[in-house]
Amino acid sequence: MKNYLLLIILFFVIYNAKCFSQEKTFQYYYNIDLNTVSEDQLEVTLTVNTPPESAIFQFPAIVPGTYKVYDFGRFVSELTAYNSKEELLEVEKLNDNQYKINDISDLDKIHYYVDDTWDTPMPNKVFEPAGTNIENDDVFVINNHGFFGYFDGMENFPFHIEVKKPSHLYGGSALTRSKGDSITDHFDVVNYHRLVDNPIIYTEADTVTLNVGTTKVFVSIYSPNKKLNADLVGQKLIDVLEAQKVFLKNQLPTDHYSFLIYLTDKPGISGAMGALEHWNCSFYFLPEESPAVILPVIQEIAAHEFFHIITPLSIHSEEIAHFDYMEPKMSKHLWLYEGVTEYFAGLALVQANLIDEETYLDALRGKIITAKSTYMDDLAFTELSKKCLEEYGNQYGNVYQKGALIGLALDLILIENSDGKYNLRDLMLELSQTYGSSRPFKDDQLFHAIDSITGVPEVKEFLEKYVDSPNPFPYTATLQKVGVTYLPEEVKTFATFGNIGISVNDDDEIFVEDIIDMDDFGKQIGYQVGDVLLKMNNTPITIENIGDLMNNYINHPEKFPKLKLQVRRDGKTIQLKSKTLILEEKEYDVFYKDENPTKEQQLLYRQWLQKII
Ligand SMILES: [Zn+2]
């Protein structure tokens, strides 16, 4: 009896153990071979260790950070499915991105070809940093969502990617190889999100690894004509990261970060250049210009991409946290994800003197002008964000313009309400602690959360009035706080000197050379060709001072009610005189630092840029 019982127990233990071992965790095993490019396509094989729970196999319609639907399934062809006996299973294509596989419980393998997006004749071109590129034996841009699909609802299962490659190509990525040799790389990621978040660029190795504090920084660069190299770019990126480290109170929020840079000597088909951010890396598609031209651009874009680590990566809404690759829902807060990021990028660089103040202020002026001339000022920014995939797609670019200026306005409100002790960066760091990468906020509650953290009514008022409502943005009032004047238009008065041509004779005297285009004022005062100009309003005229005298007269007509000129004509000295003719001209987007800022303006300017106005 006892033995029998023991036998039964043993049987159960063995049976259960067997049963347990049969319940394998589903895993995706992908194979791709970069040696076998045919017709600009790569062959992809997916093997599953156990049948998936869903019969729908799909590729993303959209990926995070792009804010545009691309339908990556469009680049997939000849998709076939097999059982373990290598027999074909029936596959039905549902739409551009989805396939239904019959007898899914028998599935062993899926096989298909992928064409790259970078040279496709299809419309709706993919922004290159989010796309794929196959250049046989030379360079491969593997944005994983372009090559690898997943089963509906099964994005949270692990992926194993095996890449066969020519031995002279190196796979640059933020991913660590789990194993491999000179002709094979293996990568393991915990889910589809991590896979999408980690592009790989295969190219002849031009890489460098550097350290910023405790953060390991990896740079991989493809420069077809070798105009730039990883060492050169790496140094410039270190400067940026050092500046950002200081900006973030001496701590970079990651232990490793990769810059994957593709420089091109021909324009891309999307018509855009730029980069796409990821948690531990960013991918760049930029023109291969001389270092003097392109390095500052790389610095600027890298500063932007890296700061995405704060938002949306560490501060984001549920729409982003539970990213839907097939039917994305947009958050209302692009002013935060892209706008504040763009604002911080410029601010950190100017504070660290990597760009000078004039360049920075000029960039702000440029943003105002572009925002006003290219985009709708009477569209609530929250509305733009929410509908950026649909009717407001053409307004998306404003996130880098007005979005950044929203960041500026909030920063100044926070600084002035705290006597310089608290700024937008502090708010962002606090928000990232409150939320963080794994705790999204509810889209509708962000303004409330900001209000409870800051306790500054003006912040809430600003967000409601200028971000959540279609009120024209208060550019002038915002910049006035720091002693910078911005006027959409200004009527300027000026005088005319007569619009005559002057020249210098052999005795270094100034004389009237031509009066072909002489205006009414010139006619009134009565210039004649050959008149030698001796004195202007009693000041002797010389080659040295003629420019200043004329400029002063033209630009400050209020100082000179009359113009009196002593001239020599035909050997005689005579007087020409006339009442000054004051003309008016409209100037647009006038932008300058005030000559006499108030004490408050000076203080705020210093607290803002850490510079003296
Ligand atoms: Zn961005």
Side-chain angles (χ1 to χ4, degrees):
M1 192 62 183
K2 241 182 167 177
N3 282 349
Y4 183 62
L5 192 64
L6 187 68
L7 198 66
I8 290 176
I9 290 169
L10 259 175
F11 175 77
F12 261 96
V13 168
I14 292 163
Y15 182 79
N16 278 337
K18 233 180 140 188
C19 202
F20 183 75
S21 73
Q22 273 178 348
E23 268 182 23
K24 281 188 261 181
T25 308
F26 178 84
Q27 183 162 10
Y28 296 87
Y29 289 91
Y30 269 110
N31 274 83
I32 190 166
D33 186 349
L34 306 185
N35 299 293
T36 57
V37 176
S38 124
E39 292 177 18
D40 204 25
Q41 295 186 336
L42 277 173
E43 198 178 331
V44 181
T45 308
L46 165 65
T47 311
V48 294
N49 58 344
T50 180
E53 289 155 18
S54 164
I56 309 291
F57 183 68
Q58 60 195 17
F59 297 87
I62 184 172
V63 290
T66 58
Y67 307 106
K68 197 152 186 258
V69 171
Y70 288 128
D71 293 324
F72 288 96
R74 292 184 296 154
F75 303 94
V76 172
S77 59
E78 295 177 55
L79 187 139
T80 46
Y82 301 87
N83 63 19
S84 56
K85 294 179 202 142
E86 301 270 316
E87 291 163 343
L88 273 174
L89 300 177
E90 206 178 306
V91 175
E92 190 188 338
K93 186 168 180 177
L94 302 178
N95 52 51
D96 274 347
N97 299 319
Q98 294 180 304
Y99 296 82
K100 183 166 187 267
I101 298 164
N102 285 349
D103 301 318
I104 192 72
S105 54
D106 294 339
L107 181 73
D108 180 52
K109 268 190 180 61
I110 294 178
H111 187 268
Y112 54 87
Y113 293 88
V114 175
D115 209 334
D116 52 353
T117 68
W118 282 22
D119 58 5
T120 182
M122 278 189 269
N124 187 17
K125 310 288 188 205
V126 177
F127 177 47
E128 280 79 357
T132 53
N133 185 27
I134 299 170
E135 284 175 45
N136 196 12
D137 216 34
D138 185 23
V139 58
F140 294 83
V141 174
I142 313 283
N143 261 304
N144 290 305
H145 51 263
F147 286 97
F148 310 119
Y150 66 100
F151 290 98
D152 189 22
M154 296 184 70
E155 52 271 62
N156 285 321
F157 287 87
F159 284 73
H160 180 92
I161 311 289
E162 180 181 339
V163 185
K164 289 213 164 45
K165 65 182 188 74
S167 59
H168 68 280
L169 296 188
Y170 175 80
S173 174
L175 286 178
T176 313
R177 289 196 315 176
S178 44
K179 59 178 179 173
D181 51 36
S182 66
I183 53 162
T184 319
D185 286 339
H186 292 261
F187 299 103
D188 283 289
V189 292
V190 291
N191 57 33
Y192 196 64
H193 309 297
R194 298 304 297 152
L195 188 65
V196 172
D197 200 39
N198 282 288
I200 311 166
I201 178 167
Y202 277 94
T203 172
E204 213 146 276
D206 182 3
T207 64
V208 66
T209 303
L210 301 153
N211 291 301
V212 177
T214 53
T215 305
K216 201 171 239 181
V217 179
F218 170 80
V219 180
S220 168
I221 186 163
Y222 173 75
S223 178
N225 304 298
K226 309 280 176 241
K227 286 193 184 173
L228 274 87
N229 60 58
D231 286 330
L232 190 62
V233 175
Q235 279 315 318
K236 291 288 172 188
L237 291 172
I238 290 299
D239 292 345
V240 171
L241 290 179
E242 290 285 3
Q244 293 184 300
K245 187 172 150 232
V246 171
F247 187 84
L248 296 174
K249 298 188 169 178
N250 267 323
Q251 205 172 359
L252 290 178
T254 179
D255 60 353
H256 70 284
Y257 195 87
S258 300
F259 292 93
L260 311 176
I261 302 170
Y262 184 106
L263 299 176
T264 178
D265 53 4
K266 47 185 185 285
I269 56 165
S270 78
M273 298 259 173
L276 185 62
E277 79 276 13
H278 302 281
W279 182 247
N280 285 114
C281 68
S282 37
F283 188 97
Y284 299 75
F285 177 76
L286 295 169
E288 189 189 35
E289 301 279 358
S290 68
V293 173
I294 200 66
L295 284 174
V297 178
I298 293 179
Q299 281 193 313
E300 208 186 305
I301 301 182
H304 174 105
E305 301 309 328
F306 186 81
F307 267 145
H308 272 309
I309 214 159
I310 302 176
T311 186
L313 299 172
S314 296
I315 312 169
H316 53 240
S317 72
E318 289 172 337
E319 284 78 1
I320 290 179
H322 311 132
F323 191 82
D324 187 336
Y325 295 95
M326 308 313 288
E327 284 176 42
K329 296 175 194 54
M330 287 294 116
S331 158
K332 293 198 296 187
H333 300 296
L334 274 173
W335 68 271
L336 170 72
Y337 313 135
E338 290 298 337
V340 170
T341 298
E342 175 71 4
Y343 171 63
F344 278 176
L347 189 63
L349 295 186
V350 70
Q351 285 185 354
N353 297 317
L354 288 182
I355 54 174
D356 62 41
E357 237 172 301
E358 277 60 42
T359 308
Y360 180 69
L361 291 177
D362 216 43
L364 288 184
R365 176 175 183 264
K367 286 186 189 303
I368 295 176
I369 294 173
T370 311
K372 290 181 59 185
S373 62
T374 314
Y375 303 107
M376 296 159 68
D377 200 19
D378 56 352
L379 169 66
F381 226 75
T382 46
E383 185 80 354
L384 184 169
S385 299
K386 200 77 200 150
K387 297 179 182 163
C388 73
L389 296 182
E390 301 121 33
E391 65 216 78
Y392 296 131
N394 62 356
Q395 297 294 311
Y396 172 78
N398 210 8
V399 301
Y400 306 109
Q401 317 297 334
K402 190 167 158 184
L405 297 160
I406 290 172
L408 164 69
L410 286 172
D411 200 15
L412 297 183
I413 293 172
L414 288 169
I415 297 171
E416 68 180 344
N417 277 281
S418 66
D419 293 327
K421 293 189 187 72
Y422 192 88
N423 56 25
L424 187 62
R425 171 204 56 187
D426 298 320
L427 171 61
M428 289 301 137
L429 291 177
E430 233 178 305
L431 279 171
S432 65
Q433 267 162 20
T434 307
Y435 296 104
S437 60
S438 51
R439 189 168 166 238
F441 58 78
K442 285 207 182 307
D443 225 35
D444 278 335
Q445 286 171 14
L446 179 65
F447 291 162
H448 179 71
I450 290 176
D451 187 39
S452 6
I453 290 177
T454 63
V456 177
E458 208 186 319
V459 169
K460 189 166 179 253
E461 207 180 291
F462 179 88
L463 289 170
E464 281 168 0
K465 197 164 169 192
Y466 298 113
V467 181
D468 208 17
S469 309
N471 291 309
F473 196 86
Y475 295 116
T476 304
T478 299
L479 288 158
Q480 202 55 58
K481 292 179 180 185
V482 284
V484 174
T485 292
Y486 167 73
L487 297 170
E489 58 177 60
E490 187 181 41
V491 176
K492 266 201 113 181
T493 55
F494 64 99
T496 160
F497 201 72
N499 206 30
I500 51 168
I502 55 172
S503 190
V504 181
N505 66 20
D506 294 342
D507 298 326
D508 283 350
E509 292 171 316
I510 311 294
F511 72 99
V512 178
E513 190 177 38
D514 82 66
I515 54 170
I516 299 165
D517 296 321
M518 190 160 72
D519 61 19
D520 289 346
F521 177 78
K523 286 174 192 159
Q524 193 178 310
I525 202 165
Y527 292 114
Q528 286 186 14
V529 171
D531 285 351
V532 176
L533 308 181
L534 303 173
K535 282 186 182 173
M536 178 173 167
N537 291 339
N538 299 323
T539 307
I541 294 172
T542 64
I543 300 181
E544 288 77 27
N545 71 6
I546 180 71
D548 286 345
L549 286 175
M550 283 176 74
N551 280 337
N552 200 18
Y553 175 74
I554 288 170
N555 293 321
H556 299 283
E558 70 284 355
K559 290 191 207 162
F560 307 99
K562 282 182 188 167
L563 179 64
K564 283 193 289 177
L565 287 170
Q566 193 183 80
V567 306
R568 193 172 68 241
R569 182 181 292 167
D570 303 329
K572 286 184 200 154
T573 301
I574 59 167
Q575 292 283 343
L576 304 180
K577 58 182 174 185
S578 170
K579 226 175 106 181
T580 293
L581 179 64
I582 298 178
L583 302 172
E584 286 186 347
E585 189 185 50
K586 260 191 191 172
E587 260 192 47
Y588 296 94
D589 299 307
V590 177
F591 189 101
Y592 55 86
K593 263 162 84 172
D594 295 348
E595 277 171 25
N596 299 304
T598 64
K599 281 228 155 51
E600 291 75 25
Q601 287 172 326
Q602 289 179 46
L603 178 66
L604 194 59
Y605 188 91
R606 197 164 63 235
Q607 289 165 335
W608 168 49
L609 287 192
Q610 297 170 11
K611 304 210 183 305
I612 296 162
I613 191 169

